[in-house]
Amino acid sequence: MGLYVIIMGVQGAGKGTQAAYIQAQYGIPQVSTGDLFRAMKTREDELARRVQDIMNAGLLVPDEVTNEVLQDRLEQADAAGGVILDGYPRNIAQAEWLAQYLTGRGESLSAVILLELDAFTAFKRAFGRVQSPSSGQMFNIYSEAERLTWQAVPHPGGEYPPRIEATDTQTGEALARRSDDADAASVVKRIDTFYAATQPLVDYYRERGVLVSVNADQPVEAVSAAIKSELDRIQSGG
Ligand code: AMP
């Protein structure tokens, strides 16, 4: 039996880091439907163009197209022992398709890992994120306060919240924020949208006994260890 794992988590929960950990630990590739669609950018055909238009409009790609693209990926040689799915399923219909597809291959879903993070912590992680323009390294003004100096600078028009300016105290470099992280309202909206869209899937998988909740509000290594202990238990049939 392969190891088929879905990983879900709000932005800031550490999904990318933990997916990379699972990939290294269990030798199964990470499959992100968003990445698969982005990779179609270089293609010139009608389907690829349609997918680009849909993504640019911020909409979901139709299920038939998504499932077909995913199936194609799941049937590649490196995925024979299973995969970590990221960004899929986005709805119950996709979840049902996946279940049927795996059954057809004599496989089944091993676990759905939900990296649990409360909305306020998720907000602080996204809103407090700053990046070194030279090295790309990310910092957080809240959790790495000793490494940074930062100040809130009022907007000329007095809008709330004020802008944040941060400096790396070791190098003196001014750190930059992603524009969509700097806008508090858009961070809140992104987080709200995630919880609303994910809840039906969380309920669906909980009912089927495959949901594994992991507390994401702890150090990276502790989250990885919790994931490993659950996946090891599942793999040994425990
Ligand atoms: P992501 O990188 O997961 O945020 O995905 C980027 C975009 O790809 C989304 O906004 C959708 O347009 C599309 N997409 C990714 N995964 C799916 C999916 N499972 N179902 C439908 N559309 C998807």
Side-chain angles (χ1 to χ4, degrees):
M1 289 288 274
L3 186 62
Y4 290 88
V5 177
I6 291 170
I7 190 157
M8 299 194 299
V10 68
Q11 191 197 14
K15 200 167 54 144
T17 308
Q18 298 305 335
Y21 168 79
I22 299 169
Q23 173 159 354
Q25 186 70 32
Y26 296 94
I28 52 173
Q30 182 186 350
V31 171
S32 146
T33 41
D35 285 349
L36 292 177
F37 290 137
R38 276 183 287 275
M40 288 169 76
K41 260 190 195 141
T42 50
R43 279 176 29 186
E44 282 295 314
D45 55 290
E46 172 58 34
L47 178 66
R49 264 199 297 272
R50 210 168 63 149
V51 165
Q52 287 317 309
D53 289 346
I54 292 168
M55 287 176 79
N56 292 340
L59 301 170
L60 285 183
V61 175
D63 290 344
E64 316 79 68
V65 175
T66 305
N67 295 340
E68 199 178 314
V69 167
L70 179 66
Q71 175 168 354
D72 192 56
R73 179 67 187 90
L74 294 179
E75 290 174 4
Q76 286 168 25
D78 67 327
V83 290
I84 311 151
L85 287 174
D86 169 9
Y88 185 98
R90 288 283 226 277
N91 56 41
I92 303 293
Q94 292 183 1
E96 297 275 2
W97 179 88
L98 179 66
Q100 273 187 18
Y101 173 76
L102 290 177
T103 303
R105 284 180 62 169
E107 298 280 0
S108 63
L109 192 60
S110 314
V112 177
I113 297 173
L114 175 65
L115 297 175
E116 286 212 89
L117 195 66
D118 67 274
F120 185 58
T121 309
F123 175 82
K124 280 176 61 167
R125 287 191 182 177
F127 191 66
R129 200 155 59 154
V130 287
Q131 188 174 32
S132 155
S134 61
S135 71
Q137 196 182 348
M138 300 287 266
F139 302 97
N140 194 290
I141 59 168
Y142 299 111
S143 56
E144 286 159 305
E146 72 292 343
R147 180 74 211 257
L148 312 168
T149 49
W150 63 275
Q151 57 173 347
V153 182
H155 285 286
E159 299 94 329
Y160 189 83
R163 285 189 314 118
I164 286 169
E165 285 180 1
T167 310
D168 182 340
T169 39
Q170 285 177 14
T171 63
E173 187 182 28
L175 302 171
R177 305 171 80 206
R178 254 177 39 181
S179 59
D180 56 342
D181 284 347
D183 175 1
S186 79
V187 174
V188 169
K189 183 154 179 253
R190 219 155 61 208
I191 292 169
D192 274 353
T193 306
F194 171 83
Y195 287 125
T198 308
Q199 198 54 51
L201 287 166
V202 169
D203 295 341
Y204 174 90
Y205 284 126
R206 185 175 283 125
E207 277 165 25
R208 282 155 185 78
V210 286
L211 191 77
V212 173
S213 285
V214 174
N215 174 15
D217 191 11
Q218 44 176 350
V220 169
E221 299 72 29
V223 177
S224 298
I227 291 174
K228 181 172 187 305
S229 109
E230 291 289 346
L231 291 182
D232 287 352
R233 179 182 59 76
I234 288 160
Q235 270 197 317
S236 67

